């Protein structure tokens, strides 16, 4: 072996570290973790699912209907008349207590937006009047059997800025704004847009009501 060959024989070839093969369990955990992170992010910022626990929105929504709630639209626009909204209990509702001192209302409510900022609302003769004009409500099961006016909440009867009057479609069996007042916008979680259960009634909840007077 000559000198040149001896020099070459002492040069170490670069070594390539063997690829680390991750176990199937590790990959699965990563996928699950990412899925949970994504699901929580969507639920927190974009959409959520809710079920209907009572008959206050009959006949539009049935007990145990499952809904998708759009949580992002109201970041860029205001609720409009006819929207079905999910919201946290208002300050007045939070003050209502059970006999044992526990809060009576902890879970979100779902109702329909009827009165907008600047409106004056009256309920009489089974009809809703907005600024003196009758509101056509084809989604009701039966007309309201009570009389009410927004003057019961504020002296001039005008719904304040960033406040809404929300009522249940089941007017005579709904604990709604005509009992406890206006709903602040910052209490609104989002708008109900899709029913995904039961399967035989899955799809968009309802077209936007035609409120032409």
């Amino acid at each position: 072996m000559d000198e040149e060959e001896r020099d070459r024989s002492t040069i170490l070839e670069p070594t390539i570290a063997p690829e680390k093969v991750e176990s199937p369990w590790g990959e699965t955990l990563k996928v699950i973790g990412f899925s949970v992170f994504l699901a929580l992010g969507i639920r927190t910022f974009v959409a959520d699912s809710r079920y209907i626990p009572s008959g206050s929105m009959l006949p539009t929504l049935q007990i145990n209907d499952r809904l998708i709630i759009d949580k992002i639209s109201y970041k860029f626009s205001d609720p409009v008349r006819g929207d079905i909204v999910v919201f946290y209990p208002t300050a007045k509702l939070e003050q209502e207590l059970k006999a044992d001192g526990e809060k009576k209302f902890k879970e979100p409510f779902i109702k329909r937006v009827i009165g907008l900022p600047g409106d004056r609302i009256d309920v009489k003769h089974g009809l809703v009047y907005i600024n003196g004009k009758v509101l056509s409500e084809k989604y009701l099961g039966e007309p309201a059997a009570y009389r009410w006016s927004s003057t019961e909440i504020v002296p001039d009867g005008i719904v304040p800025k960033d406040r809404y009057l929300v009522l249940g479609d089941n007017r005579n069996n709904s604990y709604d704004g005509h009992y406890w007042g206006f709903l602040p916008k910052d209490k609104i979680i989002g708008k109900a847009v899709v029913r995904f259960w039961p399967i035989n009634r899955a799809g968009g909840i309802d077209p936007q009501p035609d409120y032409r007077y």
Side-chain angles (χ1 to χ4, degrees):
M1 180 182 296
D2 59 26
E3 185 176 345
E4 184 178 351
E5 288 176 332
R6 285 197 303 273
D7 290 340
R8 283 204 303 268
S9 68
T10 61
I11 298 175
L12 297 177
E13 295 292 334
T15 58
I16 301 176
E19 291 186 8
K20 184 178 180 181
V21 178
E22 189 159 12
S23 71
W25 282 108
E27 286 292 336
T28 301
L29 289 173
K30 279 186 177 181
V31 171
I32 292 174
F34 179 75
S35 299
V36 169
F37 173 79
L38 185 61
L40 289 175
I42 290 174
R43 184 171 182 178
T44 301
F45 300 108
V46 180
D48 199 356
S49 62
R50 298 282 173 177
Y51 83 100
I52 304 301
S54 74
S56 70
M57 284 297 291
L58 289 170
T60 306
L61 301 175
Q62 306 290 318
I63 296 174
N64 290 326
D65 277 359
R66 263 62 173 177
L67 311 176
I68 297 296
I69 309 304
D70 168 13
K71 300 177 69 173
I72 198 168
S73 291
Y74 294 151
K75 304 294 184 184
F76 307 100
S77 62
D78 293 326
V80 300
R81 200 182 329 276
D83 283 357
I84 296 176
V85 296
V86 174
F87 55 94
Y88 296 114
T90 64
K92 187 171 182 179
L93 288 169
E94 288 179 335
Q95 293 172 2
E96 296 192 31
L97 305 176
K98 299 178 182 178
D100 60 3
E102 288 289 320
K103 287 186 178 181
K104 187 180 292 186
F105 302 109
K106 297 179 181 179
E107 297 300 318
F109 283 58
I110 182 165
K111 306 293 177 188
R112 190 185 294 272
V113 174
I114 297 298
L116 304 176
D119 285 345
R120 186 184 188 281
I121 306 107
D122 295 282
V123 181
K124 54 187 178 181
H125 313 306
L127 300 171
V128 171
Y129 291 78
I130 304 292
N131 301 321
K133 296 181 179 180
V134 175
L135 190 68
S136 175
E137 298 186 277
K138 298 178 181 179
Y139 42 76
L140 297 182
E142 60 182 19
Y146 56 82
R147 292 179 65 96
W148 181 86
S149 172
S150 50
T151 56
E152 295 181 19
I153 304 176
V154 289
D156 62 2
I158 304 300
V159 181
K161 180 182 178 181
D162 292 331
R163 297 290 189 275
Y164 300 87
L165 175 71
V166 294
L167 301 176
D169 286 359
N170 190 2
R171 288 290 152 83
N172 299 312
N173 294 280
S174 176
Y175 192 52
D176 52 33
H178 88 280
Y179 282 105
W180 42 258
F182 300 135
L183 170 66
K185 184 181 179 182
D186 61 11
K187 288 288 186 179
I188 298 176
I189 298 171
K191 174 183 176 181
V193 290
V194 173
R195 174 173 28 225
F196 66 89
W197 189 266
I199 296 297
N200 65 324
R201 291 191 295 112
I205 293 173
D206 260 343
Q208 194 68 21
D210 182 359
Y211 284 134
R212 287 177 295 181
Y213 298 107

